[in-house]
Amino acid sequence: MHSANAAHRRDVPLPQAYRLLNHGPTVLVSAAHAGRANVMAAAWAMPLDFDPPKVTVVLDKSTFTRKLIEASGCFALSVPCRVLADATFAAGSLSGAARADKIGDCGLHTFPAQQIAVPLIEGCVAWLECRVIVEPHHQQAYDLFVAEVVAAQADERVFAGGRWRADAPPELRTLHHQSGGAFFVAGETVQAAKPRG
Amino acid sequence: MHSANAAHRRDVPLPQAYRLLNHGPTVLVSAAHAGRANVMAAAWAMPLDFDPPKVTVVLDKSTFTRKLIEASGCFALSVPCRVLADATFAAGSLSGAARADKIGDCGLHTFPAQQIAVPLIEGCVAWLECRVIVEPHHQQAYDLFVAEVVAAQADERVFAGGRWRADAPPELRTLHHQSGGAFFVAGETVQAAKPRG
């Protein structure tokens, strides 16, 4: 399950960061505070603005990851791929509150972020480092967190030159959670015709 | 481009409605008010709650569809599929403000919703009828609209028994916009292993 890809990570210019989430992948949300780190899966995450890039993600009040984010003001979104399907489902099913190392229990490994003190998930294909824009009503009423993206990276085998590669290897394609651990894998790319005026 | 599917539409129980968006498809947002109707494409839409189901969608202030939604308090999300890629890109590129019939100009046809006075888009594979929960700060600061889903339907060839069908025909698979009219088509389904406690 462990797929190290340090040699393939490339910085993504911030105005292109929204493209890492635009097609609706399920993400891994990681956070850390006071010596504890955790990860959860979230299908409910999406871009919210282009430049400066913002994202929004739903974080249930019961999650330990949310507590870490509320304490630290930061989180990371790592975009998992097909080889991480089991780990992603585990991250979405297990709770980290009572575990010494949920990240390891899920079979996941981490590496340091560039701008925030949050671990990023190895073997994923894209990473967004986020600082929370505190919105108490959103957070309380809808569990909805808004954040600015302060750094972004992607695996060049999958995303390069600002675009997802149609020739990405099958095992590195993004996951799109249906329910109960069933995921669509991103399939072929179709290019729509330019609309007539 | 026109793919009538009235015979295949089935009601989706409201507690399952989130599953129509959970995997992150690009949607068509339609709205109507005072004799005008319009449609736009949105990649930035997602579920926000299970039961009663809620959704959230980003609607730019420049869009005519947003004006109709602010006036009527209702919108519909129709989930387009591969055969509607060109029409979906057109709906995301053209403005309806100065058009007598943008829906027709995009090559799209409509049918009546069940609970709201908003046209649904024919040939799509799922439909959610939504009533806005007015949140002035969300709408102004982030262009983010929250709504309750009051009715849902899906094409039984693609979604049945509360699940997306792995054997759905290629032309009826959902679209996931990357940028510039390039879409991922939902690919194969992988079932993750149940995590060990």
Side-chain angles (χ1 to χ4, degrees), chain A residues 18-19 21-26 43-50 54 56-58 82 85-86 89-90 93-94 99 105 133-135 137-138 141-144 146 162-166 173-197, chain B residues 18-19 21-26 43-50 54 56-58 82 85-86 89-90 93-94 99 105 133-135 137-138 141-144 146 162-166 173-197:
Chain A
Y18 80 93
R19 297 182 184 178
L21 296 182
N22 205 66
H23 67 300
T26 294
W44 300 358
M46 68 179 185
L48 191 57
D49 210 344
F50 295 102
K54 295 191 188 78
T56 187
V57 58
V58 175
R82 186 188 181 123
D86 289 352
F89 188 40
S93 304
L94 308 177
R99 289 172 182 273
D105 290 351
I133 298 169
V134 178
E135 289 284 2
H137 174 65
H138 292 54
Y142 302 112
D143 294 336
L144 194 63
V146 172
R163 296 184 174 279
W164 291 94
R165 294 174 60 157
R173 289 174 172 270
T174 55
L175 297 170
H176 301 254
H177 192 229
Q178 300 170 28
S179 63
F183 296 90
F184 280 118
V185 180
E188 69 178 303
T189 293
V190 295
Q191 176 62 53
K194 189 170 157 47
R196 292 164 297 162
Chain B
Y18 80 93
R19 297 182 184 179
L21 297 181
N22 205 64
H23 67 300
T26 293
W44 299 357
M46 67 180 186
L48 190 58
D49 211 343
F50 295 103
K54 294 191 188 77
T56 186
V57 57
V58 175
R82 187 189 180 123
D86 289 352
F89 188 40
S93 304
L94 308 176
R99 289 173 182 272
D105 291 351
I133 298 169
V134 178
E135 289 284 3
H137 174 65
H138 291 56
Y142 301 111
D143 295 335
L144 194 64
V146 171
R163 297 185 175 275
W164 291 94
R165 295 175 60 158
R173 290 174 170 269
T174 55
L175 297 169
H176 301 254
H177 193 228
Q178 300 171 27
S179 63
F183 296 90
F184 281 116
V185 179
E188 70 178 301
T189 292
V190 296
Q191 175 63 53
K194 189 168 157 49
R196 291 163 298 164

Side-chain angles (χ1 to χ4, degrees), chain B residues 2-89:
Chain B
H2 173 45
S3 166
N5 51 359
H8 297 286
R9 289 197 297 264
R10 296 289 179 272
D11 290 348
V12 173
L14 287 178
Q16 296 172 357
Y18 80 93
R19 297 182 184 179
L20 302 175
L21 297 181
N22 205 64
H23 67 300
T26 293
V27 298
L28 294 170
V29 185
S30 55
H33 181 69
R36 297 290 303 273
N38 204 33
V39 67
M40 61 175 270
W44 299 357
M46 67 180 186
L48 190 58
D49 211 343
F50 295 103
D51 188 20
K54 294 191 188 77
V55 296
T56 186
V57 57
V58 175
L59 302 170
D60 191 81
K61 293 178 186 69
S62 68
T63 63
F64 184 55
T65 300
R66 174 168 169 161
K67 290 180 177 57
L68 297 176
I69 292 169
E70 288 176 329
S72 69
C74 296
F75 62 87
L77 303 180
S78 298
V79 180
C81 55
R82 187 189 180 123
V83 289
L84 294 180
D86 289 352
T88 301
F89 188 40

Side-chain angles (χ1 to χ4, degrees), chain A residues 9-77:
Chain A
R9 289 196 298 264
R10 296 289 180 273
D11 289 347
V12 172
L14 286 178
Q16 295 172 359
Y18 80 93
R19 297 182 184 178
L20 302 175
L21 296 182
N22 205 66
H23 67 300
T26 294
V27 298
L28 294 170
V29 185
S30 55
H33 182 68
R36 296 289 304 272
N38 203 31
V39 67
M40 60 175 269
W44 300 358
M46 68 179 185
L48 191 57
D49 210 344
F50 295 102
D51 187 21
K54 295 191 188 78
V55 296
T56 187
V57 58
V58 175
L59 302 170
D60 192 80
K61 292 179 186 69
S62 68
T63 64
F64 184 56
T65 300
R66 174 169 170 161
K67 290 180 177 57
L68 297 176
I69 293 169
E70 287 176 329
S72 69
C74 296
F75 63 86
L77 303 180

